[in-house]
Amino acid sequence: MTRGKIIYVTKERQVYSTIEFNGDMYPVDGGHGEEIIDFFQGHGFRDIQSYGRYVKRLDNRYFGYSSIYGRELIQSKGLYKEGLFDFTENYTDYLYLINHSDAEVQMKLKEGRVVLPVGALAIVHYQNFREIIPGNGTIEAGVSEKNELVKTMENMEWDLFQRQKEWLYAQQIQIEKWYGQEAAVLPTDILNMMDKIQEVWEDEKARIDKNPCWYEERWYVEDLKTALENADVEVTAANVTKLRDCCLHIFDDKSARNEMLVDMAKKMNGNG
């Protein structure tokens, strides 16, 4: 049985959702989703009252949840103030999200974030984006040019993401400070990159938790400056950065150090 919900965001950014209707809620081949789309495109969803009337008709026609079981068909989900609908753990087959608020709606999905323009309807299939259907007065989401920060972050090698997880995690907070606003209302391309950073950071943290570090070697900017001085190279910010970048991977090969561990283990066991 194909399940579905209809979610409605009012002009005042109040969010309402139907209960889960169980049966033929797909948007093709005569499913009830086709009727939802037709009603939407016919400008039937004008306000919360028309939304409520449609939901009641849908229930009376196909399900009878209200009359037979006495169930409330619509639930208030509060104010849409966080700037984001997170559907990454949605297990309803189809969600029909109608945005009649005064601002774009951000949807976080399995493949990334999608912007739902004002006046449009989005169809979500489980955790995946399916399509956006424009409505009367839909304001198309503007495509902002990627700034230098985004270009830089996109060009990073993934091993750099993993090796500098602490730095990357800090960037999420720093980006918000640069833009002077909460992360939820940042441009979509930046949000997707921030999600990726967080995902890799969490994966790396899980790996570390599973295989805890018992020894850590730290190098500081002062060490780089000292190295430049000893090499008779001018100590400037540019040279410090250049030397740091050159040294990022010089300790990657741990074979010699692992051999030292084996030697120590042999000595400890009286075999050295």
Side-chain angles (χ1 to χ4, degrees):
M1 301 292 280
T2 305
R3 302 157 298 163
K5 295 179 182 179
I6 309 172
I7 303 171
Y8 188 81
V9 186
T10 71
K11 185 177 180 180
E12 295 76 23
R13 303 192 186 189
Q14 292 289 336
V15 180
Y16 296 88
S17 174
T18 66
I19 59 174
E20 189 173 75
F21 291 111
N22 193 356
D24 300 334
M25 288 295 288
Y26 41 84
V28 293
D29 301 327
H32 304 323
E34 285 189 336
E35 295 183 29
I36 296 170
I37 295 169
D38 288 344
F39 190 74
F40 170 77
Q41 292 181 320
H43 317 314
F45 293 107
R46 298 180 302 278
D47 47 34
I48 187 62
Q49 288 76 26
S50 58
Y51 166 73
R53 288 193 294 269
Y54 177 81
V55 170
K56 187 174 181 179
R57 288 198 302 272
L58 180 73
D59 179 61
N60 288 339
R61 191 177 304 152
Y62 300 112
F63 302 99
Y65 294 157
S66 178
S67 59
I68 299 174
Y69 304 108
R71 297 179 64 183
E72 290 290 336
L73 300 177
I74 297 174
Q75 302 165 345
S76 173
K77 297 298 183 180
L79 188 66
Y80 174 73
K81 59 183 178 180
E82 301 300 329
L84 179 69
F85 282 96
D86 189 345
F87 295 137
T88 55
E89 294 185 8
N90 168 60
Y91 293 98
T92 297
D93 297 84
Y94 287 99
L95 300 177
Y96 299 89
L97 174 59
I98 303 164
N99 179 23
H100 274 177
S101 71
D102 57 356
E104 296 173 345
V105 165
Q106 295 272 355
M107 298 180 294
K108 185 177 180 181
L109 301 158
K110 189 176 181 179
E111 67 268 34
R113 300 198 188 207
V114 176
V115 173
L116 177 60
V118 172
L121 178 150
I123 302 176
V124 175
H125 185 221
Y126 290 105
Q127 302 96 19
N128 300 303
F129 169 71
R130 184 181 176 101
E131 64 178 309
I132 287 177
I133 299 173
N136 184 33
T138 293
I139 302 172
E140 295 294 338
V143 180
S144 58
E145 292 186 4
K146 293 180 179 178
N147 58 33
E148 292 302 316
L149 173 65
V150 176
K151 291 177 183 177
T152 300
M153 295 175 75
E154 286 184 339
N155 290 331
M156 285 182 178
E157 296 292 335
W158 277 113
D159 64 339
L160 183 59
F161 276 101
Q162 293 173 324
R163 295 179 195 285
Q164 297 192 344
K165 59 186 181 300
E166 292 180 1
W167 180 87
L168 290 165
Y169 180 65
Q171 297 318 293
Q172 293 184 276
I173 299 173
Q174 189 61 49
I175 289 169
E176 293 181 11
K177 290 181 180 178
W178 286 337
Y179 276 80
Q181 54 190 333
E182 295 298 320
V185 293
L186 291 172
T188 307
D189 49 6
I190 294 179
L191 292 171
N192 283 330
M193 184 59 63
M194 289 167 66
D195 286 342
K196 201 80 173 180
I197 291 171
Q198 182 68 15
E199 180 183 321
V200 172
W201 184 82
E202 288 176 353
D203 288 346
E204 179 71 1
K205 184 176 183 301
R207 185 189 68 79
I208 291 173
D209 290 344
K210 188 176 180 180
N211 183 26
C213 176
W214 58 273
Y215 179 80
E216 185 176 21
E217 187 173 24
R218 289 181 178 268
W219 291 83
Y220 298 90
V221 172
E222 199 60 40
D223 298 315
L224 296 170
K225 292 179 180 179
T226 300
L228 290 171
E229 289 175 353
N230 292 339
D232 294 325
V233 177
E234 185 181 5
V235 179
T236 64
N239 284 338
V240 169
T241 300
K242 186 176 180 180
L243 179 59
R244 183 198 64 192
D245 292 342
C246 291
C247 294
L248 277 178
H249 303 296
I250 63 175
F251 300 119
D252 286 358
D253 185 358
K254 299 183 179 65
S255 56
R257 300 185 185 195
N258 288 334
E259 289 175 5
M260 292 171 63
L261 289 177
V262 174
D263 289 341
M264 281 295 183
K266 288 180 178 178
K267 290 179 180 178
M268 181 188 71
N269 202 34
N271 296 327

